Amino acid sequence: MKNRRTFIKYLATGWVGFGTLSCSNLFAKQSNEQDKKVYKKTHFGMIFDQNKCVGCTDCEKACKKVNLVPKDQMRLYVEDKTDPNNKAEKRYVRVSCQQCVDAPCVKVCPTKACHKDTLTGITTTNMDDCIACKYCIVACPYDVRFINKETKSAESCNFCLDTNLKNGLEPACVEACKYDALVFGDLNDEEAHISKLLKVKDSVRMRPECGTNPSLRYIPVVKLGV
């Protein structure tokens, strides 16, 4: 809980600081013998824009439905961090897996159940190999992993790798957001909307001192009147 409070504290104090993604090609091969172009490895990421989130929690509901998350458990949730003394400036925070490039959960998993998907680079868990030792939960500096009560396997947000992405769709939360507060795409694709957006918007990664290099970026709230 201490880690989660620290995570939220950064965002609550204001230190929160797609071209169209062709989802039908997410799982396409990145090489062609007749094409001599050099392709960069895929690196999927997401942006959460505090300025656009209204706290409707549609993303939470969509995530639970698409990924069959048990009742009372969540892969992601939106927390209301509005200052009670200034309710005119609403402020919400997405709390979920940060999809770290240098993921501690992957490093400590004794069975390699928690791993980087070879095709997409997304951190995910093979429930058949998970022994629920909770090492990954302890290692996560963002306190966002949990043991699924039904599968008895550790899990967290994996950008809907086994569900929406597999079916050529964007993550459920992105599809559900009516306010464009979430942007998903390949950070290694300079023409992707997410890459272009990060070039013109100030954004931050959470707890950079941990050296995990998160793939979830936050665009900080812009104070009214500024």
Side-chain angles (χ1 to χ4, degrees):
M1 288 303 295
K2 182 178 180 181
N3 284 334
R4 177 170 291 168
R5 287 195 297 269
T6 302
F7 173 75
I8 298 301
K9 178 181 178 182
Y10 283 117
L11 293 166
T13 54
W15 190 84
V16 194
F18 277 167
T20 302
L21 173 69
S22 179
C23 291
S24 61
N25 294 322
L26 290 179
F27 291 85
K29 291 183 178 179
Q30 291 190 337
S31 62
N32 187 321
E33 292 181 355
Q34 296 179 346
D35 191 342
K36 301 303 182 181
K37 292 181 181 179
V38 176
Y39 291 90
K40 293 182 180 179
K41 188 175 181 180
T42 303
H43 176 194
F44 288 111
M46 185 178 289
I47 293 174
F48 171 78
D49 191 339
Q50 269 198 314
N51 300 281
K52 295 182 177 181
C53 180
V54 300
C56 66
T57 71
D58 283 353
C59 56
E60 295 180 5
K61 298 169 186 174
C63 174
K64 289 179 71 69
K65 180 179 180 179
V66 168
N67 296 295
L68 304 178
V69 182
K71 185 179 179 180
D72 301 326
Q73 291 190 303
M74 307 180 84
R75 285 187 174 193
L76 75 89
Y77 65 91
V78 176
E79 184 155 342
D80 187 349
K81 299 303 297 181
T82 302
D83 184 346
N85 297 315
N86 186 14
K87 294 186 177 181
E89 293 185 12
K90 293 291 185 179
R91 184 172 299 172
Y92 300 96
V93 175
R94 174 192 171 104
V95 182
S96 70
C97 175
Q98 300 291 294
Q99 281 296 323
C100 306
V101 172
D102 192 11
C105 54
V106 172
K107 290 182 176 180
V108 301
C109 182
T111 65
K112 307 304 179 184
C114 182
H115 65 283
K116 291 280 188 181
D117 178 65
T118 55
L119 186 59
T120 64
I122 294 173
T123 300
T124 190
T125 303
N126 183 341
M127 74 174 97
D128 294 329
D129 295 329
C130 180
I131 58 175
C133 65
K134 300 183 180 180
Y135 285 3
C136 62
I137 294 176
V138 175
C140 176
Y142 305 99
D143 194 21
V144 291
R145 295 182 65 81
F146 61 94
I147 300 296
N148 185 302
K149 293 188 294 187
E150 296 180 0
T151 66
K152 310 302 180 185
S153 169
E155 71 174 71
S156 60
C157 168
N158 65 353
F159 290 155
C160 293
L161 177 64
D162 306 311
T163 52
N164 270 25
L165 257 66
K166 184 178 180 180
N167 293 320
L169 303 172
E170 291 190 319
C173 57
V174 178
E175 289 206 321
C177 184
K178 299 186 291 289
Y179 304 96
D180 297 324
L182 296 170
V183 179
F184 176 76
D186 182 2
L187 294 169
N188 282 343
D189 181 359
E190 295 181 356
E191 296 304 312
H193 181 46
I194 189 171
S195 299
K196 292 180 178 179
L197 190 58
L198 288 172
K199 288 180 180 179
V200 298
K201 291 282 188 177
D202 290 331
S203 66
V204 298
R205 297 179 175 123
M206 299 317 304
R207 303 199 67 187
E209 72 277 7
C210 294
T212 61
N213 193 13
S215 301
L216 180 59
R217 313 288 181 85
Y218 293 82
I219 295 179
V221 66
V222 176
K223 292 185 178 181
L224 297 178
V226 177

